[in-house]
């Protein structure tokens, strides 16, 4: 049965939710204080890694299970918004400096102790690294995780905006602040909109209703590096940080590592930028001639346990707390929320 549904918050989770609901034939009204293209959304800052194994070191098994499910769901979502090539599952590389090999081995052993699927992680020597990623041939030890991949986050955000804005069953209220979401209703400054069902996917925008919600700051660099040709997401382990390098088309790379307990969205600090740049230069000297295209900061919504939460009531669903696992978890968490609530 087709329903008239309101969604408060159209970041990454709100978009994945909207795409699912449209597939089911519902009519949607979308509300967000951001622009329709998510200029301030954390989903636009993200690298889009589907690092289902690499996150196991510090995450619980439910993250792994949901991540595996999301990896299966992403291709259909991207096909729906007509960018199937924005998904890659070519595996990922984890390496370190020689002095940190013990840290690297401990990291991999931790993964292998948690799930049996980790047995597929491959140890690479210098020859193996050179065969898989020639531009990482200066490293003599690494691990290859064949099941991991990535979604081009920025392409997904733009394509999903285009798709939703053009869809006949969608009304998008951009730059519209939502004060509260209750059973069947979305409360704006001057009116209340009633629906057959409402979803609250506002992230940090729901902080007044979710008291334990907090922001976790992330910082990324966009580099254009024509002298570098790394084709897979690559992590460099270090005692103080775990830098990631995520390739995009035309020798562009998204670089990140920082995770700060703060809701500050101010520009990147000198310390963070120096650490990221020196670390990425140590991975490949070609980054020394790269051009810094963007320095971005944003805050991800997290709860006390750093796990996602689904809250269901009559005519109401709230999804929040995806922490730094947005792209890894969103499709599976949305599927679970729909099955627990509106589709029950």
């Amino acid at each position: 049965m087709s329903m008239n549904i309101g969604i408060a918050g159209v970041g990454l989770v709100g978009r994945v939710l909207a795409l699912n609901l449209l597939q089911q034939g519902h009519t949607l009204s979308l509300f967000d204080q951001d622009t329709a293209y998510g200029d301030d959304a954390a989903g636009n800052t993200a690298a889009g890694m589907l690092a289902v194994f690499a996150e196991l070191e510090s995450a619980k098994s439910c993250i792994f299970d949901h991540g595996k499910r999301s990896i299966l769901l992403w291709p259909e979502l991207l096909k729906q918004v007509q960018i199937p090539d924005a998904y890659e599952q070519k595996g990922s590389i984890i390496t370190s400096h020689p002095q940190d090999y013990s840290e690297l081995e401990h990291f991999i052993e931790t993964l292998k102790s948690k799930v049996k699927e980790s047995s597929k992680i491959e140890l690479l020597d210098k020859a193996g690294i050179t065969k898989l990623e020639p531009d990482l041939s200066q490293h003599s030890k690494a691990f290859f995780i064949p099941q991991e991949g990535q979604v081009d986050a920025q392409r997904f955000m733009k394509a999903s905006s285009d798709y939703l804005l053009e869809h006949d069953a969608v009304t998008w209220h951009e730059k519209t602040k939502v004060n509260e979401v209750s059973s069947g209703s979305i409360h704006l400054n001057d009116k209340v909109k009633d629906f057959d069902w409402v979803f609250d996917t506002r992230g940090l925008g729901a902080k007044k209703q979710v008291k334990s919600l907090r922001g976790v700051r992330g910082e990324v660099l966009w580099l254009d590096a024509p002298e570098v040709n790394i084709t897979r997401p690559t992590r460099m382990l270090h005692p103080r940080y775990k830098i990631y390098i995520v390739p995009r088309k035309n020798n562009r790379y998204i670089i990140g590592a920082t995770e700060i307990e703060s809701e500050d969205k101010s520009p990147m600090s000198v310390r963070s930028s120096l650490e990221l740049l020196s670390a990425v230069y140590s991975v490949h000297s070609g980054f020394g001639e790269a051009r810094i295209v963007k320095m971005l900061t944003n805050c991800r919504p997290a709860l006390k346990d750093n796990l996602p939460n689904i809250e269901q009531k009559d005519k109401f669903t709230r999804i929040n707390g995806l922490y730094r696992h947005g792209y890894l978890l969103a499709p599976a968490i949305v599927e679970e929320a729909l099955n627990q609530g509106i589709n029950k």
Side-chain angles (χ1 to χ4, degrees):
M1 181 181 68
S2 177
M3 300 174 70
N4 184 24
I5 295 173
I7 300 177
V10 200
L12 170 60
V13 176
R15 289 157 192 263
V16 172
L17 173 63
L19 294 175
N20 277 268
L21 292 170
L22 288 174
Q23 289 279 42
Q24 297 177 10
H26 301 297
T27 299
L28 309 181
S29 293
L30 312 180
F31 300 85
D32 200 295
Q33 61 184 355
D34 200 353
T35 67
Y37 283 90
D39 292 344
D40 297 324
N44 251 330
T45 310
M49 288 187 298
L50 303 179
V52 62
F53 286 87
E55 292 296 338
L56 262 177
E57 184 205 26
S58 57
K60 296 188 177 179
S61 59
C62 63
I63 302 295
F64 180 78
D65 295 336
H66 282 114
K68 286 197 301 180
R69 180 60 182 158
S70 288
I71 286 174
L72 296 176
L73 293 172
W74 266 117
E76 284 302 315
L77 286 168
L78 295 170
K79 189 183 297 182
Q80 185 178 349
V81 297
Q82 301 176 357
I83 53 167
D85 61 329
Y87 174 86
E88 287 186 355
Q89 194 177 4
K90 297 166 57 179
S92 66
I93 302 286
I94 300 180
T95 188
S96 71
H97 300 301
Q99 65 267 29
D100 299 320
Y101 280 163
S102 60
E103 178 93 5
L104 177 63
E105 290 168 2
H106 175 74
F107 181 88
I108 297 299
E109 287 304 314
T110 300
L111 305 191
K112 290 184 175 181
S113 69
K114 290 193 172 184
V115 294
K116 62 181 181 180
E117 291 97 328
S118 294
S119 62
K120 296 180 181 179
I121 296 175
E122 302 174 23
L123 172 63
L124 302 176
D125 58 12
K126 188 176 183 67
I129 296 169
T130 302
K131 182 178 179 180
L132 203 62
E133 288 286 351
D135 269 36
L136 295 176
S137 61
Q138 69 272 32
H139 299 279
S140 56
K141 187 173 186 177
F143 289 89
F144 175 55
I145 307 179
Q147 304 97 318
E148 294 192 336
Q150 65 162 306
V151 171
D152 189 324
Q154 291 69 38
R155 286 186 66 199
F156 172 72
M157 293 294 286
K158 182 182 185 304
S160 58
S161 293
D162 291 338
Y163 180 87
L164 294 169
L165 286 167
E166 294 170 5
H167 203 289
D168 292 340
V170 175
T171 302
W172 198 321
H173 304 270
E174 62 178 331
K175 298 182 181 179
T176 301
K177 182 174 174 57
V178 173
N179 291 325
E180 185 181 351
V181 184
S182 60
S183 296
S185 299
I186 292 179
H187 302 251
L188 309 177
N189 284 332
D190 56 349
K191 63 186 73 172
V192 176
K193 298 278 191 178
D194 295 322
F195 298 94
D196 298 323
W197 201 284
V198 296
F199 290 85
D200 185 354
T201 53
R202 289 177 293 161
L204 289 173
K207 201 169 181 185
K208 286 185 179 179
Q209 285 76 53
V210 186
K211 301 302 182 185
S212 60
L213 196 62
R214 75 187 197 283
V216 179
R217 175 181 166 101
E219 303 172 331
V220 297
L221 290 164
W222 287 23
L223 304 181
D224 280 351
E227 296 184 17
V228 180
N229 185 30
I230 298 172
T231 64
R232 292 170 176 83
T234 299
R235 288 176 179 249
M236 170 68 77
L237 295 195
H238 182 278
R240 282 192 297 114
Y241 49 77
K242 296 177 178 65
I243 187 173
Y244 58 79
I245 302 167
V246 180
R248 293 285 193 258
K249 291 182 178 180
N250 301 317
N251 300 91
R252 175 163 291 179
Y253 298 87
I254 296 180
I255 315 297
T258 56
E259 184 176 306
I260 303 166
E261 288 289 337
S262 170
E263 293 182 20
D264 174 21
K265 292 186 180 181
S266 63
M268 188 183 299
S269 69
V270 170
R271 175 181 295 175
S272 291
S273 61
L274 286 173
E275 286 189 349
L276 285 174
L277 291 169
S278 61
V280 76
Y281 177 69
S282 73
V283 173
H284 192 299
S285 60
F287 281 114
E289 294 304 316
R291 296 298 181 258
I292 300 172
V293 179
K294 292 182 182 181
M295 305 173 87
L296 301 174
T297 61
N298 218 314
C299 290
R300 290 75 60 91
L303 298 167
K304 287 182 179 179
D305 56 6
N306 292 335
L307 294 176
N309 183 65
I310 300 169
E311 180 184 347
Q312 304 277 10
K313 296 188 292 188
D314 179 47
K315 300 182 180 180
F316 172 92
T317 302
R318 175 180 286 129
I319 306 170
N320 214 320
L322 271 67
Y323 185 38
R324 67 184 187 198
H325 308 304
Y327 281 85
L328 180 62
L329 297 185
I333 293 296
V334 164
E335 180 184 63
E336 182 178 327
L338 292 175
N339 290 338
Q340 288 179 0
I342 196 171
N343 294 340
K344 192 172 180 180

